Amino acid sequence: MTHLVAVGGSDAGISAALRVRELDPSVDITVVVADAYPNFSICGIPYYVSGEVTHWRNLAHRTTHDLEAAGLQLRLDTLATRIDVADTSAGRRLHVRTPDGRDGVIPYDALVVGTGAVPAHPPITGITGHEALGPGDGVHLLHSMGDTFALTRTLDRLADADSSDVSAVIVGAGYIGLEMAEALTARGLHVTQIEALPEVLPTVDPQLGALVHAELDRHGVEVLTGTTVTAITRSPGDGPRLCVEAHHDGDRVTREIDLVLVVVGVRPDTDLAASAGARLGVRGAIDVDQRMRTGLPGVYAAGDCVVTHHQLLGATWLPLGTTAHKQGRVAGENALGGDRRFAGSLGTQVVTVFDLVAARTGLRDHEATAAGRGWTPLTVASAPDDHKAYYPGATPIAIHITGDRDSGRLLGAQLVGHRSAEIAKRVDICATGIHHGMTVDALSDLDLCYTPPLGSPWDAVQVASQAWTRERAKPQRARGATTDCGPGRPSA
């Protein structure tokens, strides 16, 4: 192979290109980027909005100069429009639209599609259709650097208005929505967060989501759950510019505010690959195998646009930056003729919400039941301290451990605790255990570190696993129940 082309300048495309460069310095590599911001951290946007990241350029994993110095040819502000995969005299070609609006062609020997995902548009009057409101009206989506600049322009305009009562509605209470609630609160806005499902952070059990809900309340965020936004309109008269209309249990709910942020998830961006004949799979994502092959000759795909091979579920769709990096690396290596396989995802995720951290890995109880693998899931809740209680500052960690009652296999874990409680470290212990097929009981055999200011002789994860093992030994209860074994405080 002499020329690799990667479409997409985010995690998957850049990872594929850099892996090719590591393996073969002689290959020509072109990266086609639809905007001017290659290798920027979309996950870091809330922290730029909050002011914790002081300049938007700091969100770049690598600068344009770094990428070019690594031997990548960057085609910025260039839109990939069509893939020619037919083996004709013209060869394989990627059609593009150049920054000046002209059509162009880039020949390739191997192609990696990393087009990512695009924001979902819920059926809300005012954000869809011909007369949809947009950033100029104070209604924002948040997925790209362009979206970020539009939002910060609105925030700067509201700040210049010298009002002490600027307010915002965030539609959605998933990871980005929660991070943005904190970011906008840090900017001095009064925030209302609206979630259609019964509790915030619906990727964890409701009992744990309720802890996050309480943390939002504690920091002045108004939280409306079980509430569906139906319309966003301009407010009449001289009052606030926007009116959000929603419904809760049949009752109409309205809020007059200055800014609306809609963050209700994403969908895979597959038009480029699908129009070339690539198969689509779960949730309309590109159907790739674990070698990231699309089935089209010489075309690989990776990242948020492709199906996710999950270690416990098989094919699903789970867009995560960590997954995109790994998939891109596999795609790049195999584009060179390698035979690497993506090991699979467990959906390991973590989020900070003010002083709280929530994390999960693997499966929740109902997900394990629905997997169709014959598991009999048991989920047990406990609340061990993050370190020895006699050392000042000990705080409980709410932990839900899910395992298969029959085999004892560890299937999942969820943790919520204070920012100081090393939640990310502890969910990673569980992710490692699931990856290696460990039983819940075997977590207690791990040789984990201990000092009183940071932990206990039995780490909090091990205390939680022991609570699960005790519960498993009892006569079987109603399937699907989450059992609360209370806090564990072993002596040492």
Side-chain angles (χ1 to χ4, degrees):
M1 185 184 72
T2 59
H3 192 193
L4 173 99
V5 175
V7 179
S10 193
D11 301 336
I14 296 295
S15 291
L18 291 175
R19 182 57 175 160
V20 170
R21 174 56 67 238
E22 289 176 2
L23 294 172
D24 189 344
S26 71
V27 174
D28 290 330
I29 303 172
T30 300
V31 182
V32 177
V33 185
D35 60 19
Y37 310 102
N39 213 203
F40 271 69
S41 173
I42 302 305
C43 298
I45 288 173
Y47 309 106
Y48 168 62
V49 174
S50 71
E52 295 165 277
V53 175
T54 56
H55 196 284
W56 63 267
R57 292 189 184 278
N58 295 338
L59 294 176
H61 296 301
R62 300 169 187 81
T63 66
T64 298
H65 174 75
D66 293 335
L67 295 171
E68 291 175 339
L72 309 188
Q73 303 172 48
L74 301 178
R75 297 284 297 268
L76 304 182
D77 290 316
T78 300
L79 180 67
T81 58
R82 192 172 88 246
I83 303 169
D84 284 342
V85 297
D87 190 9
T88 65
S89 58
R92 299 168 178 173
R93 302 183 301 173
L94 177 70
H95 294 256
V96 299
R97 186 162 299 124
T98 62
D100 59 5
R102 297 181 181 181
D103 293 331
V105 173
I106 303 174
Y108 70 86
D109 296 293
L111 180 72
V112 176
V113 176
T115 44
V118 293
H121 288 71
I124 298 173
T125 300
I127 69 167
T128 58
H130 179 66
E131 298 184 357
L133 302 176
D137 306 294
V139 179
H140 295 267
L141 302 173
L142 188 63
H143 189 67
S144 68
M145 290 306 298
D147 297 335
T148 303
F149 298 140
L151 176 60
T152 55
R153 284 193 295 270
T154 296
L155 291 170
D156 290 343
R157 175 178 55 77
L158 293 172
D160 290 342
D162 198 25
S163 171
S164 61
D165 192 28
V166 178
S167 57
V169 159
I170 298 175
V171 183
Y175 287 85
I176 297 298
L178 294 171
E179 290 167 344
M180 287 304 301
E182 180 176 355
L184 295 182
T185 298
R187 296 280 295 242
L189 277 70
H190 301 287
V191 177
T192 297
Q193 190 138 38
I194 302 179
E195 170 58 52
L197 294 173
E199 192 50 273
V200 303
L201 194 57
T203 54
V204 301
D205 290 342
Q207 303 96 313
L208 300 180
L211 300 177
V212 178
H213 189 145
E215 182 73 358
L216 293 165
D217 289 340
R218 190 168 74 86
H219 285 84
V221 177
E222 179 190 24
V223 181
L224 305 177
T225 54
T227 304
T228 302
V229 175
T230 56
I232 303 170
T233 58
R234 295 185 183 88
S235 294
D238 298 327
R241 294 192 328 107
L242 296 166
C243 177
V244 173
E245 180 175 332
H247 289 85
H248 174 79
D249 288 340
D251 295 328
R252 182 172 177 265
V253 178
T254 62
R255 292 291 183 274
E256 290 191 337
I257 40 79
D258 301 286
L259 181 152
V260 176
L261 181 62
V262 180
V263 279
V264 294
V266 295
R267 60 176 178 81
D269 185 356
T270 61
D271 290 349
L272 179 69
S275 64
R279 298 184 306 270
L280 302 184
V282 181
R283 299 282 296 275
I286 302 168
D287 189 10
V288 294
D289 63 14
Q290 287 183 262
R291 293 175 175 81
M292 313 316 297
R293 297 178 298 196
T294 65
L296 301 176
V299 179
Y300 299 78
D304 293 354
C305 60
V306 307
V307 300
T308 307
H309 292 275
H310 194 286
Q311 294 179 30
L312 299 176
L313 296 176
T316 184
W317 185 64
L318 191 58
L320 292 170
T322 50
T323 300
H325 279 280
K326 296 179 181 73
Q327 291 174 336
R329 189 172 175 86
V330 170
E333 184 166 333
N334 291 337
L336 276 180
D339 190 33
R340 192 174 187 90
R341 293 168 62 93
F342 171 55
S345 170
L346 289 171
T348 308
Q349 305 166 62
V350 66
V351 63
T352 61
V353 185
F354 295 102
D355 295 322
L356 210 62
V357 179
R360 66 162 288 179
T361 187
L363 305 181
R364 294 163 60 191
D365 198 286
H366 71 281
E367 294 166 341
T369 298
R373 300 296 181 93
W375 292 317
T376 305
L378 170 67
T379 298
V380 175
S382 57
D385 284 339
D386 69 320
H387 63 257
K388 289 305 298 179
Y390 61 72
Y391 188 88
T395 61
I397 304 174
I399 304 179
H400 287 191
I401 295 289
T402 299
D404 177 30
R405 183 188 287 274
D406 295 334
S407 67
R409 180 179 181 177
L410 177 64
L411 297 176
Q414 305 164 68
L415 300 85
V416 176
H418 191 269
R419 189 183 283 254
S420 65
E422 300 286 0
I423 300 301
K425 166 204 168 181
R426 287 173 161 124
V427 80
D428 284 345
I429 293 171
C430 297
T432 302
I434 299 171
H435 179 86
H436 290 287
M438 292 175 64
T439 64
V440 177
D441 187 56
L443 289 177
S444 289
D445 295 331
L446 294 175
D447 184 19
L448 305 178
C449 64
Y450 159 59
T451 186
L454 300 177
S456 297
W458 293 113
D459 185 78
V461 166
Q462 295 173 312
V463 174
S465 72
Q466 292 162 7
W468 187 92
T469 301
R470 289 194 299 272
E471 187 63 27
R472 181 195 182 201
K474 296 178 181 178
Q476 187 164 345
R477 301 185 180 193
R479 185 175 297 184
T482 298
T483 303
D484 189 350
C485 291
R489 304 183 191 276
S491 60

